Amino acid sequence: ETKAEMGNKTWADLAGEMKTFLWNPEERTCLGRTAKSWGLILLFYFIFYTCLAGMFAFCMYVMLLTLSPYTPTYRDRVAPPGVMIRPYLNGFTIAFNVSKRSTWQPYVDSMHHFLAAYDDKVQEEKNIECISGKYFIQGGNESEEKKACQFKRSLLQNCSGIEDQTFGYSRGQPCILLKMNRIIGYRPGAGVPVGVDCKVQKGNESDLRSVDFYPGNGTFDLMYYPYYGKITHVNYTSPLVAMHFTDVKRNSLVPIQCSLHGKGIVNDVNSDRFLGRIIFTLSIGK
């Protein structure tokens, strides 16, 4: 058709042509194809996509055969461990005024909530007593449920929240808990317990005059390692080190760095503030 002929068509003509295109009763075609043509093309795409889905399912099946639900296949980027603190509410600044309960009560509530799983009765019911100072290595099939050693909150002494329900926050002597990230099969310290120390990161060292560590001298006992994964190590509770900041400069921002120390521990990578160390700020007002 010439442009002139097309320009002379009315809306009714165009509607009629569209209707014929959708269904042509003379040639018995729909959208220009007969029923046989539609059947063949739909059959082709059905077979095509079925084959694609089958290939995808087969590849997934083969890949899953190489994976274990109990142990990651590759673990070269997760050791040595990182660390984290509790309470953790508004980032890594713990700021409160001793005279204003509303400023420190959220930290206390967070500590009680976190330590609920460490209650002595809970630990006695679910976990067993282990031999201190040596790794608790468990044999057997990797699918067998593993036993976990007791870590009672009473071990945290002044930072347990048992005698002092406020964890020292009401007196301006806050407790902060440190825990290592869980790594399946990892044995920290190469047979020697990993210790913790804290210091002022930048500034006057006299801003942090006294820190007490619990349990003992602030070490992670070897009996809580290795960790076997959440599927089999169901009742496992990570060991903790409590840091009791009994004498910190008041009315000032004090940046503190707490680091792990032990064989195989890395704590000096500037690009990762959580690898073997953690940096946080204490601001204690009157």
Side-chain angles (χ1 to χ4, degrees):
E1 296 179 347
T2 64
K3 291 183 178 180
E5 291 173 339
M6 293 179 66
N8 293 331
K9 289 182 178 180
T10 65
W11 284 107
D13 295 334
L14 295 175
E17 291 180 1
M18 180 59 69
K19 182 179 180 181
T20 302
F21 176 70
L22 294 175
W23 172 248
N24 188 333
E26 295 179 358
E27 299 179 2
R28 303 187 65 81
T29 60
C30 177
L31 300 178
R33 292 182 178 274
T34 63
K36 180 180 180 181
S37 178
W38 276 114
L40 290 175
I41 197 170
L42 290 175
L43 178 63
F44 167 77
Y45 280 111
F46 174 77
I47 295 173
F48 177 70
Y49 285 113
T50 300
C51 291
L52 286 181
M55 292 175 61
F56 176 77
F58 177 74
C59 291
M60 289 295 295
Y61 174 74
V62 172
M63 184 189 70
L64 291 174
L65 287 178
T66 65
L67 301 178
S68 170
Y70 308 105
T71 306
T73 304
Y74 300 104
R75 292 178 288 171
D76 58 321
R77 298 186 65 183
V78 294
V83 293
M84 192 58 183
I85 59 170
R86 293 292 186 277
Y88 177 73
L89 295 180
N90 302 311
F92 295 96
T93 297
I94 298 177
F96 62 93
N97 292 327
V98 177
S99 59
K100 296 182 180 179
R101 185 184 185 94
S102 60
T103 62
W104 51 259
Q105 188 62 48
Y107 297 113
V108 173
D109 293 340
S110 176
M111 292 279 279
H112 279 294
H113 178 73
F114 177 73
L115 288 175
Y118 292 85
D119 285 344
D120 289 16
K121 291 183 178 180
V122 174
Q123 289 292 311
E124 290 171 0
E125 291 175 359
K126 293 184 176 181
N127 298 331
I128 64 172
E129 293 186 0
C130 300
I131 301 175
S132 178
K134 59 183 297 185
Y135 295 121
F136 184 31
I137 300 174
Q138 304 178 60
N141 193 292
E142 65 176 357
S143 62
E144 294 179 4
E145 184 173 330
K146 308 300 182 182
K147 298 178 181 179
C149 297
Q150 295 177 6
F151 190 98
K152 300 177 180 179
R153 68 187 296 176
S154 58
L155 293 174
L156 301 177
Q157 301 179 38
N158 293 340
C159 289
S160 65
I162 297 174
E163 294 183 3
D164 181 3
Q165 293 284 318
T166 68
F167 299 95
Y169 284 82
S170 62
R171 305 190 310 275
Q173 298 178 337
C175 289
I176 297 176
L177 305 178
L178 183 76
K179 75 181 191 72
M180 282 195 283
N181 294 342
R182 299 178 181 182
I183 301 176
I184 295 177
Y186 182 62
R187 304 179 189 180
V192 179
V194 173
V196 179
D197 71 359
C198 296
K199 62 182 180 180
V200 175
Q201 188 207 16
K202 293 180 180 179
N204 195 335
E205 294 184 0
S206 63
D207 290 349
L208 179 62
R209 291 179 284 270
S210 178
V211 186
D212 295 331
F213 296 92
Y214 309 105
N217 55 353
T219 58
F220 292 92
D221 200 300
L222 300 180
M223 67 180 177
Y224 300 105
Y225 304 96
Y227 170 60
Y228 288 94
K230 64 180 181 180
I231 296 179
T232 55
H233 228 156
V234 179
N235 296 322
Y236 181 84
T237 43
S238 299
L240 307 170
V241 167
M243 304 170 295
H244 193 189
F245 295 90
T246 55
D247 194 356
V248 181
K249 184 179 179 180
R250 300 290 181 93
N251 300 314
S252 179
L253 292 174
V254 182
I256 297 173
Q257 175 176 296
C258 293
S259 306
L260 302 179
H261 293 279
K263 189 173 182 179
I265 296 296
V266 177
N267 58 20
D268 56 358
V269 178
N270 293 329
S271 60
D272 191 343
R273 61 181 293 183
F274 303 105
L275 184 62
R277 63 173 180 167
I278 194 163
I279 301 170
F280 56 93
T281 302
L282 277 179
S283 177
I284 304 174
K286 295 182 180 179

